[in-house]
């Protein structure tokens, strides 16, 4: 397996791909159990890491439904950086850890847009997640206006640099980055594979500047934004896209399984 993936990426460094489902604010606990069970039945011996990220209130149900599966990991959609206290409505890393959560999505554009997340709060969360041994999936991406203004590279570089500020050289390879152009999220407008791959190479370039080329080669960078069963194979066959963060298509078990299968 190591050699196949190394060959796929054309490098001596192996980056195990990740397919993560971001369920957003969808599914009740009972519906979560049903979807997890369907996915469990369809996804076996995947050649990538498979992650499902239900809503916070459904994590317990998802964990119970995932029992006995070594194929699928649990992820959360957000986390606060303080341990506990007067932070009404927030979710602590301790709770996530106790629920068996392994990954946590941080700085999703919907959280930046609707819940006032900033590059600085994302950075605090990234540092705390690493300290607590949760794997952050840090989202970066430009808006349609920024794309039209031709500043995509500047935007993703800045978001990446701030998100990783203070992350040690020894820890950076455990961070996962998701490039999610905002104009492609939930719109059906996917970035072309070369467009997405090119921006991801620039994000990797920003990581290289902060660390070393070797460290940057180990960081997994996913693409997200209308990835689906029809376009996944092409996006995932590029040199630098190391998996997907899937929204809408992750709510349909067969589509999600097909995306996972496109890496086989
Ligand atoms: P989408 O969402 O696949 O529905 O575009 C991706 C995301 O927001 O993570």
């Amino acid at each position: 397996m190591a050699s196949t993936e190394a060959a796929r990426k054309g490098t001596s460094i192996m980056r195990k791909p990740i397919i993560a489902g971001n369920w957003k604010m969808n599914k009740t606990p009972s519906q979560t159990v049903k979807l997890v069970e369907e996915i469990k039945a369809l996804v076996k011996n995947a050649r990538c890491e498979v992650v499902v990220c239900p809503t916070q209130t459904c994590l317990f149900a998802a964990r119970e439904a995932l029992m006995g599966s070594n194929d699928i990991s649990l992820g959360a959609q957000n986390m606060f950086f303080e341990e506990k206290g007067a932070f009404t409505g927030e979710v602590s890393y301790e709770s996530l850890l106790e629920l068996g959560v392994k990954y946590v999505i941080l700085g999703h554009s919907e959280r930046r847009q609707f819940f006032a997340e900033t590059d600085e709060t994302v950075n605090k969360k990234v540092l705390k997640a690493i300290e607590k041994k949760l794997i952050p999936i840090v989202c970066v991406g430009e808006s349609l206006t920024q794309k039209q203004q031709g500043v995509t590279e500047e935007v993703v570089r800045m978001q990446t640099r701030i998100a990783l500020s203070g992350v040690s050289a020894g820890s950076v390879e455990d961070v996962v980055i998701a490039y999610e152009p905002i104009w492609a999220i939930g719109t059906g407008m996917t970035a072309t594979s070369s467009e997405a791959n090119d921006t991801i190479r620039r994000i990797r370039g920003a990581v290289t500047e902060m660390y070393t080329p070797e460290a940057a080669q180990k960081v997994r960078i996913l693409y997200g934004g209308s990835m689906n069963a029809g376009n996944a194979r092409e996006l995932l066959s590029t040199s630098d896209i190391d998996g997907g963060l899937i929204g809408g298509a992750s709510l349909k078990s067969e589509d999600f399984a097909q995306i996972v299968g496109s890496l086989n």
Side-chain angles (χ1 to χ4, degrees):
M1 172 151 162
S3 59
T4 316
E5 272 163 12
R8 189 173 78 80
K9 294 294 173 191
T11 160
S12 57
I13 292 181
M14 189 198 79
R15 298 190 295 267
K16 188 165 189 187
I18 300 175
I19 298 295
N22 173 11
W23 295 5
K24 309 194 180 186
M25 199 178 75
N26 293 293
K27 306 290 174 190
T28 64
S30 60
Q31 291 166 344
T32 293
V33 170
K34 186 166 175 287
L35 184 55
V36 165
E37 279 173 352
E38 285 172 21
I39 293 173
K40 241 169 95 170
L42 292 169
V43 172
K44 294 227 162 82
N45 305 318
R47 303 196 55 190
C48 57
E49 286 180 39
V50 181
V51 185
V52 291
C53 307
T55 62
Q56 314 285 29
T57 48
C58 295
L59 286 168
F60 183 78
R63 183 185 68 159
E64 299 289 293
L66 281 171
M67 288 282 180
S69 162
N70 297 322
D71 295 305
I72 304 168
S73 302
L74 196 55
Q77 298 176 17
N78 183 30
M79 175 204 98
F80 198 46
F81 48 78
E82 296 288 355
E83 183 186 352
K84 60 182 163 189
F87 302 106
T88 304
E90 279 300 329
V91 176
S92 76
Y93 49 79
E94 285 206 328
S95 297
L96 298 184
L97 288 166
E98 198 175 309
L99 286 168
V101 167
K102 185 171 170 192
Y103 292 85
V104 58
I105 300 171
L106 296 176
H108 189 282
S109 62
E110 287 150 16
R111 296 222 45 96
R112 295 177 191 252
Q113 185 183 350
F114 301 119
F115 304 100
E117 291 250 356
T118 63
D119 287 328
E120 285 68 30
T121 55
V122 173
N123 174 240
K124 285 187 181 173
K125 292 178 179 192
V126 169
L127 292 173
K128 190 53 80 175
I130 292 170
E131 181 193 323
K132 297 296 164 186
K133 307 264 180 289
L134 284 158
I135 302 175
I137 302 178
V138 188
C139 301
V140 299
E142 82 286 6
S143 66
L144 183 58
T145 309
Q146 289 165 334
K147 176 181 160 65
Q148 287 163 344
Q149 289 166 339
V151 294
T152 296
E153 180 173 358
E154 286 87 337
V155 170
V156 296
R157 279 171 57 84
M158 184 186 71
Q159 290 174 333
T160 303
R161 289 184 70 97
I162 299 176
L164 296 181
S165 169
V167 174
S168 72
S171 299
V172 72
E173 61 194 64
D174 297 326
V175 175
V176 177
I177 299 172
Y179 168 53
E180 297 209 309
I182 299 169
W183 49 270
I185 296 177
T187 58
M189 278 165 53
T190 322
T192 65
S193 56
S194 65
E195 214 174 11
N197 194 51
D198 188 54
T199 303
I200 286 180
R201 287 173 76 121
R202 290 164 198 273
I203 294 170
R204 203 179 298 289
V207 181
T208 303
E209 282 165 22
M210 292 179 78
Y211 301 91
T212 60
E214 292 71 32
Q217 281 302 322
K218 290 186 187 155
V219 174
R220 289 172 294 177
I221 310 182
L222 318 181
Y223 169 77
S226 299
M227 193 188 271
N228 58 41
N231 60 26
R233 190 177 289 276
E234 195 192 328
L235 285 158
L236 296 170
S237 66
T238 53
S239 64
D240 276 67
I241 302 181
D242 301 319
L245 183 55
I246 327 289
S250 72
L251 295 168
K252 299 179 208 127
S253 53
E254 292 193 353
D255 288 22
F256 187 64
Q258 230 177 301
I259 295 170
V260 171
S262 66
L263 278 161
N264 287 349

